[in-house]
Amino acid sequence: MENVKQKSWFSRNWGWLLGGGCLSLIVIVILVGVGLFYKVSDSISGSEPYIYALSKASENEKVIDFLGEPITSNGFGNTSYKSKNGSSTATLNIPIKGPKDEAIIFVSAEKINDEWTYNSLYVKVDGENEIIYLNDNTNSENEESFDDF
């Protein structure tokens, strides 16, 4: 009688092990990417300039006339936060929508000594030429251009 030497477990299953390992790495990378996206988006939507701008737009009668109620965020637009020497600046384009139409809130703010100052805060409704200013201290002379943002 001949003794037939059986292959080891690894030599019989190396393909499954390699495929399962690669698949596991791909799933982990995807989960980390999704987690980072939600963390970043949550930190942006939880920031003081974002919350302030959205609440001012939701309370403004002209914005309500154009968009209807309720006014909600419509995804994430362009955001830029910069910190230097204890001061921070934020530039946000926040897409919003209502039952009637969509718009974008433009925010330019600066944080000095833990207090936000809004240099510009206005809404531009899609398809309209009118700009709706949300702060009393903002006007067309001190508005920054968001075209290059």
Side-chain angles (χ1 to χ4, degrees):
M1 264 183 115
E2 281 184 46
N3 271 345
V4 177
K5 189 173 181 185
Q6 191 176 17
K7 290 182 179 180
S8 70
W9 179 89
F10 182 76
S11 63
R12 286 181 283 140
N13 297 303
W14 71 270
W16 287 102
L17 188 63
L18 183 63
C22 289
L23 182 62
S24 297
L25 286 175
I26 291 169
V27 168
I28 288 170
V29 167
I30 289 172
L31 289 175
V32 167
V34 168
L36 285 173
F37 172 77
Y38 280 111
K39 179 67 176 169
V40 168
S41 64
D42 193 41
S43 67
I44 291 170
S45 64
S47 69
E48 189 174 332
Y50 185 95
I51 293 170
Y52 180 77
L54 195 57
S55 69
K56 290 293 270 187
S58 298
E59 297 168 356
N60 188 286
E61 290 299 322
K62 284 186 178 181
V63 175
I64 293 171
D65 287 343
F66 279 111
L67 303 183
E69 285 189 299
I71 295 172
T72 59
S73 175
N74 191 17
F76 291 98
N78 295 329
T79 60
S80 172
Y81 284 91
K82 296 178 185 172
S83 294
K84 186 176 181 180
N85 298 331
S87 68
S88 300
T89 59
T91 306
L92 308 166
N93 293 355
I94 307 168
I96 57 174
K97 67 179 177 180
K100 297 179 184 177
D101 209 348
E102 297 180 353
I104 297 177
I105 305 171
F106 294 93
V107 183
S108 175
E110 185 175 16
K111 183 178 184 181
I112 301 174
N113 297 327
D114 294 330
E115 188 171 325
W116 285 99
T117 303
Y118 296 90
N119 301 321
S120 61
L121 180 59
Y122 61 93
V123 173
K124 176 76 173 77
V125 179
D126 290 350
E128 298 290 330
N129 291 329
E130 183 179 0
I131 293 175
I132 304 167
Y133 297 101
L134 301 176
N135 262 1
D136 296 334
N137 62 343
T138 58
N139 56 43
S140 59
E141 287 88 36
N142 68 356
E143 291 300 320
E144 295 180 9
S145 173
F146 286 90
D147 294 337
D148 298 331
F149 187 62

